[in-house]
Amino acid sequence: MTETAEKIRDHFDLFHQPEYADMMDNKRKQFENAVGEAEVARVSDWTKTKEYQEKNFAREALVINPAKACQPLGAVFAAVGFEKTLPFVHGSQGCVAYYRSHFSRHFKEPTSCVSSSMTEDAAVFGGLNNMIDGLANSYALYKPKMIAVSTTCMAEVIGDDLNAFIKNAKEKGSVPQDFDVTYAHTPAFVGSHITGYDNTMKGVVEHFWDGKSGTTPKLERQPNESVNFLGGFDGNTVGNIREVKRIFELMGVDYTIFGDNSDVWDTPADGEFRMYDGGTTLEQAANAIHAKGTISMQEFCTEKTLATIAAHGQEVVALNSPIGITGTDRFLQAVSRITGKAIPEALTKERGRLVDAIGDSSAHIHGKKFAIFGDPDLCYGLAEFILELGGEPTHILATNGNKNWEVKVNELLASSPFGTNCKVYPGKDLWHLRSLLFTEPVDFMIGNTYGKYLERDTGTPLIRMGFPVFDRHHHHRSPIWGYQGTMNVLVKILDKIFDEMDKATNIAGKTDLSFDIIR
Amino acid sequence: MSTAVAESPADIKERNKQLIGEVLEAYPDKSAKRRAKHLNTYEAEKAECSVKSNIKSIPGVMTIRGCAYAGSKGVVWGPIKDMVHISHGPVGCGQYSWGSRRNYYKGNTGIDTFGTMQFTSDFQEKDIVFGGDKKLGKIIDEIQDLFPLNRGISVQSECPIGLIGDDIEAVSKAKTKQYDGKPIIPVRCEGFRGVSQSLGHHIANDVIRDWVFDKAGDKVATFESTPYDVAIIGDYNIGGDAWASRILLEEMGLRVIAQWSGDGTIAELENTPKAKLNILHCYRSMNYITRHMEEKFGIPWVEYNFFGPTKIEASLREIAAKFDDKIKEGAERVIAKYKPRMQAIVDRYRPRLEGKKVMLYVGGLRPRHVIGAYEDLGMEVVGTGYEFGHNDDYQRTTHYVKDGTLIYDDVTGYEFEKFVEKVRPDLVGSGIKEKYIFQKMGVPFRQMHSWDYSGPYHGYDGFAIFARDMDIAINAPIWKLTKAPWS
């Protein structure tokens, strides 16, 4: 035993002690029927070759380490953005356990969500009874102001009809007739978490604007000067939404954050657990129909929602996770144009400060190659910023990116000489990216926590951005949008670059010729 | 935070009764009746905790439970490191269970081991409409192509597979034949089956029986047997638990020929019927296969508990009792060697933890097994329950709990919060979904599934870390700062 009361080693050190190392070696030699080391090395080297890459890219059926999750996750993300709203996932209960864990691991916050706990009997007879009992229990126990229903693949395969089920449950008295229950069909075998976000938001819009499933008259749009804001599925939602609110307030804009989950995923520790906190009020959700326009920060995350909103007579503006000077300029100009409010001096000054900061630092980034992976809009926003910095995006990969996204990112790349050598990979996964990082290496990689496996295998330093970030704390609290948010992104990129410089120059007497204290 | 006044068991029982009454009032009648059967106070001398278990969760509540897929892929099969496990169906299940259970293993990931990878058939609408068997066949070919050193493949079926009637068994059989007998193993662990992850464990065990043991029959073991060969069953090597257990067994003179399934390999599974004794940590998830091996191969099995020196000592002796004097002496030698070191750990931490009250809610064996470790540190477990325990788990729990302990089966979020609010324990030990709720309430918390990314907690080395971690949780200065001085 190596632990003593004086010195308690974590697993980091413990298992590298000789007795454990020997034990593992013996296990391998005697019982694992393991492959010889030379063979492991041979295959390992082979996976780094162009030949392997070709094989890897020829894959038609197998998906390995995808950078996407399934629709209902996005549904839960969207639902918690409304005042006292309980996400209710109709289907098998294990899914909900997964969504709650997944969000808690990223945000380090509780995530409340219920399931209708369908099992074999529901698979045979349908889940109507689960809906009836489930809504009654949820309503009694968790006292929500609204319940947002979505589905899992199970409920979709057996073809449960949410609209009919909810009506039925209301007739049975599970919840009052006028209680707001929104719904969205979110099969896990269509699209990804961003599709689920979109479908749920669309469901909320339709519920409030189109007469609550035929129970009230449709709303008449009476245009006012306000603007709606849709954030989209976003790992930095807590920081970003607050930043966007600050910007709106600086501009004196009358705004509605449509699906504001910034408070519910950032509640204080003060002795009380708040199951619901903040959120877009239901009144705001309804009144949002009157806005002059809606701005979405993530086009590929809100396609259907924006189409629905546009069909109600509003102007819609679709951005792509604006990061950087140009992206933020575009956002502010859109807000200004729609609302008629001028962009205040305070924001112009922030812009100037960001330009100043980039001017101070871009020499360190200029010409560096980057691989970017994650959700389609985030990839776009990051790529646009890297181009502004004089960096060279080289591989841009979104497992849930489609053809339109590919075209759009290629247009962006074509607009800058720094984008010349970049390729765009819609529908590819992180095992594809692994091959690319071996055959066409880059200097840095920007993406979520799962990128650490690529960092380990290929030695490409990872700058953590997006969703999920499980292995670093509190990133979600910092914005990445707007000039101030961009400043955070800039600092993160620079910190990694400087850390790498230090790592390469920190062996005394060997590599430390340029171990500088001033960079 | 616990009340300073010592309460008598009668007082505690009365309080628990009231508490249970209060939480049930919040439910609609029908659900209150169903939930009432799952909540109780343990009465000393009773052979059972007197709660119903392994029953469907009620819809619309925040059950903490998972599903059969989680039980099979996440627990039993996933940690078999040299196999590729396909999450067969839509992308989500594999994504959410990717690398989150911390089943440590040694190997070259992506080359000869695959434990922290997510292989999925990423079902699309057309796969639902036309079926996914053809695609599965192709996936298996692609795996063979890209990962030639894999030692086998398992197909973990997600919900749609069973619903659309795919024949994954036929595909697996055909592919096993095509690839010269390589184990290609279908597991019908669709998430809608059963009432929790528990059925997934059982299904996974049955599949090992039918698709590993029955087919591996003629394979020759790569080692020569000794009278001291044992297999570790049901230790998932969370943060290295199984290693901290194995090292003790080896030190007492036994030889561990297989580790199920932390740092496990298919070869070890195949070789297990050659063991002289199966030693079982997580009874719930793997008793099925040990019972089968007892019946079919005549291998006895023994449960053990490697949490905390008292239980470790008892378990080492119980295991040794199945062998000759050499091993018995070995056990005594190990116990004697570690005793002073454990005493030093207790001496360091007990004064900081004495009298602290703990409420637990975990899966598998932990709601009972860790109680001894807390008691070694002078702490008291005042409430406990299982996510997916069965009646036999609750029977076993009676050996661990004290008179008046609050028992809650398949507790809902609502009930658990109310219980903690009223009982005000000094520590809650549960999972990630519960962690931040209780911390917001100002109650120290440790994740007792993942060891809060620490560990190991098993074995003597693990106890040192366990003791330190409980001290970190309970005595963190932050809990004194929860309330603002002006509020």
Side-chain angles (χ1 to χ4, degrees):
Chain A
M1 170 186 172
T2 58
E3 303 289 20
T4 60
E6 297 74 44
K7 182 166 173 56
I8 294 176
R9 293 182 172 92
D10 273 297
H11 47 84
F12 304 106
D13 304 326
L14 179 64
F15 297 121
H16 297 292
Q17 301 304 310
E19 51 268 67
Y20 279 103
D22 288 350
M23 185 183 82
M24 284 181 222
D25 285 347
N26 284 336
K27 176 178 184 293
R28 183 176 168 86
K29 269 185 224 142
Q30 288 183 282
F31 305 113
E32 292 186 359
N33 190 21
V35 181
E37 274 169 35
E39 179 66 353
V40 171
R42 188 191 66 79
V43 173
S44 178
D45 287 342
W46 171 62
T47 67
K48 300 170 185 173
T49 61
K50 192 85 192 161
E51 180 204 338
Y52 186 86
Q53 179 183 324
E54 275 162 22
K55 234 179 215 301
N56 191 7
F57 272 73
R59 258 192 283 145
E60 289 175 357
L62 172 63
V63 174
I64 310 163
N65 298 353
K68 66 169 181 181
C70 68
Q71 275 213 60
L73 185 83
V76 175
F77 182 99
V80 299
F82 294 90
E83 180 195 11
K84 291 191 84 170
T85 295
L86 182 66
F88 181 114
V89 181
H90 183 54
S92 171
Q93 74 197 10
C95 310
V96 166
Y98 277 144
Y99 314 144
R100 294 180 67 207
S101 300
H102 212 61
F103 283 130
S104 288
R105 287 180 180 131
H106 175 82
F107 290 114
K108 318 294 178 203
E109 290 284 323
T111 300
S112 300
C113 175
V114 297
S115 159
S116 61
S117 288
M118 286 163 67
T119 55
E120 283 107 330
D121 53 339
V124 178
F125 301 112
L128 176 60
N129 287 333
N130 297 65
M131 181 70 75
I132 293 169
D133 289 349
L135 287 179
N137 286 330
S138 298
Y139 182 74
L141 222 49
Y142 299 110
K143 302 192 169 40
K145 228 175 160 174
M146 176 164 105
I147 294 175
V149 180
S150 57
T151 51
T152 64
C153 48
M154 177 196 185
E156 289 297 325
V157 170
I158 64 175
D160 279 2
D161 178 349
L162 290 184
N163 189 25
F165 279 20
I166 293 164
K167 266 190 190 147
N168 224 313
K170 282 188 170 183
E171 274 156 28
K172 299 263 183 193
S174 298
V175 296
Q177 281 289 352
D178 61 353
F179 183 79
D180 290 307
V181 182
T182 66
Y183 68 90
H185 286 276
T186 51
F189 46 81
V190 176
S192 73
H193 56 286
I194 63 174
T195 327
Y197 175 95
D198 196 11
N199 280 329
T200 298
M201 281 302 182
K202 175 173 168 272
V204 174
V205 168
E206 285 174 342
H207 174 81
F208 284 105
W209 299 4
D210 290 345
K212 304 187 172 185
S213 299
T215 60
T216 59
K218 290 188 178 188
L219 294 180
E220 273 302 317
R221 181 163 182 264
Q222 289 158 341
N224 59 29
E225 292 302 306
S226 72
V227 64
N228 299 326
F229 175 88
L230 277 170
F233 193 106
D234 168 24
N236 290 67
T237 188
V238 170
N240 273 341
I241 285 187
R242 288 184 184 155
E243 177 63 10
V244 165
K245 284 179 182 169
R246 188 185 68 88
I247 291 171
F248 282 143
E249 272 149 33
L250 276 173
M251 291 181 74
V253 168
D254 183 6
Y255 67 91
T256 300
I257 307 285
F258 204 85
D260 177 0
N261 47 27
S262 60
D263 284 349
V264 73
W265 270 321
D266 195 19
T267 66
D270 58 0
E272 182 198 345
F273 162 55
R274 295 160 179 80
M275 188 167 142
Y276 311 107
D277 202 23
T280 309
T281 66
L282 307 190
E283 213 181 346
Q284 283 176 321
N287 286 336
I289 190 173
H290 307 307
K292 210 167 170 194
T294 294
I295 295 175
S296 163
M297 289 304 237
Q298 299 199 57
E299 177 181 10
F300 295 101
C301 202
T302 52
E303 287 170 321
K304 290 180 203 160
T305 309
L306 287 185
T308 306
I309 291 172
H312 284 81
Q314 272 184 41
E315 181 189 350
V316 296
V317 176
L319 305 171
N320 303 96
S321 195
I323 300 169
I325 306 278
T326 315
T328 306
D329 290 351
R330 211 182 296 129
F331 168 54
L332 295 184
Q333 284 170 308
V335 177
S336 175
R337 186 177 52 73
I338 291 172
T339 61
K341 302 274 185 183
I343 296 167
E345 181 58 22
L347 286 172
T348 310
K349 257 191 158 170
E350 277 181 22
R351 184 184 191 280
R353 289 185 192 118
L354 178 61
V355 173
D356 184 60
I358 292 171
D360 296 343
S361 309
S362 67
H364 289 292
I365 302 171
H366 198 99
K368 296 255 183 333
K369 290 181 173 174
F370 291 83
I372 300 168
F373 70 90
D375 284 341
D377 292 291
L378 179 65
C379 284
Y380 186 100
L382 287 169
E384 187 170 31
F385 183 45
I386 294 294
L387 293 175
E388 269 175 0
L389 295 168
E392 293 179 12
T394 303
H395 314 293
I396 301 177
L397 182 145
T399 311
N400 50 357
N402 59 20
K403 268 267 164 233
N404 294 341
W405 172 78
E406 184 184 11
V407 169
K408 188 147 188 174
V409 179
N410 275 323
E411 280 169 12
L412 170 71
L413 294 168
S415 72
S416 162
F418 294 93
T420 314
N421 295 317
C422 184
K423 281 202 189 106
V424 184
Y425 298 96
K428 297 298 179 204
D429 56 43
L430 298 185
W431 198 255
H432 290 118
L433 185 56
R434 185 179 183 273
S435 281
L436 293 172
L437 293 175
F438 280 124
T439 56
E440 300 162 61
V442 297
D443 299 299
F444 294 92
M445 168 173 49
I446 309 181
N448 65 31
T449 281
Y450 294 120
K452 78 191 285 175
Y453 296 128
L454 296 169
E455 185 175 37
R456 173 194 58 194
D457 291 358
T458 70
T460 317
L462 171 68
I463 298 157
R464 283 172 178 75
M465 202 87 63
F467 180 92
V469 175
F470 290 151
D471 63 337
R472 296 292 183 273
H473 287 202
H474 309 307
H475 286 199
H476 66 276
R477 296 176 198 267
S478 304
I480 59 169
W481 292 338
Y483 302 124
Q484 290 204 166
T486 301
M487 194 76 85
N488 291 330
V489 178
L490 176 66
V491 171
K492 258 177 141 178
I493 294 171
L494 288 167
D495 278 354
K496 195 67 168 187
I497 290 175
F498 294 134
D499 283 349
E500 289 300 312
M501 280 183 194
D502 287 345
K503 258 203 266 176
T505 58
N506 66 0
I507 302 173
K510 288 214 166 115
T511 64
D512 65 345
L513 296 179
S514 40
F515 191 60
D516 292 330
I517 59 156
I518 305 166
R519 302 269 194 210
Chain B
M1 198 172 294
S2 55
T3 42
V5 192
E7 295 167 290
S8 73
D11 291 344
I12 291 169
K13 283 178 197 171
E14 185 51 36
R15 181 207 60 194
N16 287 352
K17 203 175 151 191
Q18 273 182 23
L19 205 46
I20 290 168
E22 277 169 37
V23 298
L24 291 175
E25 268 172 34
Y27 288 92
D29 288 348
K30 181 175 155 192
S31 298
K33 264 186 210 149
R34 286 176 61 182
R35 284 303 306 157
K37 296 172 186 158
H38 299 266
L39 308 172
N40 212 339
T41 303
Y42 176 62
E43 303 272 355
E45 314 306 328
K46 277 203 178 169
E48 299 192 18
C49 296
S50 304
V51 290
K52 294 273 184 207
S53 58
N54 198 30
I55 293 172
K56 225 179 119 159
S57 306
I58 61 176
V61 302
M62 245 168 284
T63 172
I64 292 159
R65 282 175 169 177
C67 64
Y69 165 89
S72 175
K73 191 267 182 178
V75 176
V76 178
W77 279 103
I80 305 297
K81 64 180 177 180
D82 57 355
M83 292 176 73
V84 170
H85 307 289
I86 305 167
S87 293
H88 190 42
V91 64
C93 316
Q95 201 73 3
Y96 308 127
S97 55
W98 180 9
S100 56
R101 244 186 137 244
R102 303 184 63 235
N103 317 102
Y104 284 2
Y105 64 91
K106 197 169 178 192
N108 199 328
T109 301
I111 311 301
D112 66 345
T113 47
F114 311 93
T116 48
M117 293 174 72
Q118 136 71 328
F119 293 86
T120 174
S121 45
D122 189 16
F123 258 41
Q124 302 297 308
E125 206 153 16
K126 63 177 190 308
D127 301 313
I128 301 288
V129 177
F130 299 112
D133 285 344
K134 246 179 124 173
K135 186 175 192 175
L136 178 60
K138 197 167 206 175
I139 283 171
I140 292 167
D141 294 340
E142 289 176 355
I143 289 170
Q144 279 303 108
D145 231 20
L146 288 165
F147 305 98
L149 301 187
N150 83 77
R151 290 302 176 110
I153 295 167
S154 85
V155 182
Q156 306 287 324
S157 49
E158 301 173 6
C159 285
I161 305 307
L163 297 169
I164 63 177
D166 275 5
D167 193 351
I168 58 171
E169 287 83 2
V171 178
S172 301
K173 268 184 197 151
K175 288 291 164 188
T176 296
K177 207 168 161 199
Q178 183 185 332
Y179 292 113
D180 304 324
K182 172 174 292 245
I184 296 173
I185 297 169
V187 192
R188 287 259 168 216
C189 56
E190 289 89 345
F192 61 80
R193 293 188 196 277
V195 303
S196 68
Q197 48 271 64
S198 180
L199 187 67
H201 306 141
H202 197 158
I203 290 167
N205 279 214
D206 288 352
V207 166
I208 292 172
R209 177 194 65 202
D210 298 342
W211 290 77
V212 180
F213 288 170
D214 288 359
K215 298 195 191 288
D218 303 332
K219 284 196 191 171
V220 183
T222 52
F223 57 86
E224 275 186 33
S225 287
T226 76
Y228 305 117
D229 291 352
V230 299
I232 297 179
I233 313 270
D235 185 321
Y236 298 99
N237 210 30
I238 315 278
D241 281 337
W243 292 328
S245 303
R246 182 185 186 110
I247 205 163
L248 298 178
L249 297 169
E250 292 188 347
E251 200 174 344
M252 71 192 260
L254 296 172
R255 193 171 77 149
V256 179
I257 62 164
Q259 249 178 250
W260 293 43
S261 50
D263 195 35
T265 54
I266 182 80
E268 286 168 87
L269 296 195
E270 288 171 349
N271 286 334
T272 305
K274 304 208 159 47
K276 300 296 184 293
L277 178 72
N278 281 325
I279 63 169
L280 175 61
H281 207 241
C282 179
Y283 170 82
R284 180 72 276 133
S285 60
M286 286 195 171
N287 78 84
Y288 317 100
I289 199 70
T290 51
R291 287 175 197 281
H292 170 73
M293 283 190 266
E294 184 175 42
E295 276 173 32
K296 180 141 188 209
F297 309 111
I299 306 169
W301 56 280
V302 59
E303 282 181 76
Y304 71 111
N305 177 353
F306 269 9
F307 287 105
T310 306
K311 298 294 175 191
I312 297 173
E313 200 173 307
S315 287
L316 289 176
R317 290 202 172 107
E318 211 178 324
I319 293 164
K322 309 280 181 191
F323 293 93
D324 59 13
D325 285 350
K326 185 188 146 201
I327 301 298
K328 284 178 196 146
E329 282 158 25
E332 293 307 323
R333 190 181 63 243
V334 169
I335 291 165
K337 175 178 161 190
Y338 292 105
K339 208 160 193 145
R341 301 190 197 187
M342 287 298 105
Q343 192 56 48
I345 300 284
V346 170
D347 290 346
R348 178 170 171 189
Y349 289 105
R350 188 164 179 139
R352 303 171 60 80
L353 299 169
E354 186 86 50
K356 302 288 185 190
K357 292 188 167 66
V358 184
M359 286 176 78
L360 298 170
Y361 181 70
V362 220
L365 52 89
R366 294 161 185 146
R368 60 177 181 274
H369 269 202
V370 296
I371 292 174
Y374 282 113
E375 287 174 349
D376 284 336
L377 294 166
M379 299 166 75
E380 186 190 352
V381 172
V382 297
T384 192
Y386 293 84
E387 265 181 48
F388 49 83
H390 296 207
N391 192 33
D392 47 1
D393 290 300
Y394 284 101
Q395 280 169 356
R396 285 168 161 75
T397 306
T398 60
H399 308 308
Y400 287 91
V401 290
K402 287 202 170 108
D403 196 25
T405 304
L406 187 60
I407 309 283
Y408 29 80
D409 175 69
D410 183 23
V411 79
T412 67
Y414 179 83
E415 292 159 1
F416 201 16
E417 283 150 42
K418 292 287 167 209
F419 289 157
V420 170
E421 232 170 72
K422 291 286 165 64
V423 176
R424 298 307 292 187
D426 301 283
L427 180 76
V428 173
S430 190
I432 181 74
K433 304 192 286 301
E434 298 74 66
K435 177 182 171 88
Y436 303 105
I437 292 171
F438 296 119
Q439 289 190 171
K440 304 237 180 229
M441 286 164 59
V443 182
F445 188 95
R446 284 303 290 187
Q447 290 188 68
M448 296 302 284
H449 298 270
S450 65
W451 310 148
D452 252 311
Y453 321 115
S454 174
Y457 282 180
H458 292 179
Y460 287 123
D461 279 333
F463 179 68
I465 299 172
F466 173 85
R468 182 205 59 181
D469 284 2
M470 297 311 133
D471 178 41
I472 287 174
I474 290 178
N475 293 311
I478 191 65
W479 306 122
K480 294 197 177 74
L481 301 172
T482 299
K483 286 279 172 212
W486 55 86
S487 57

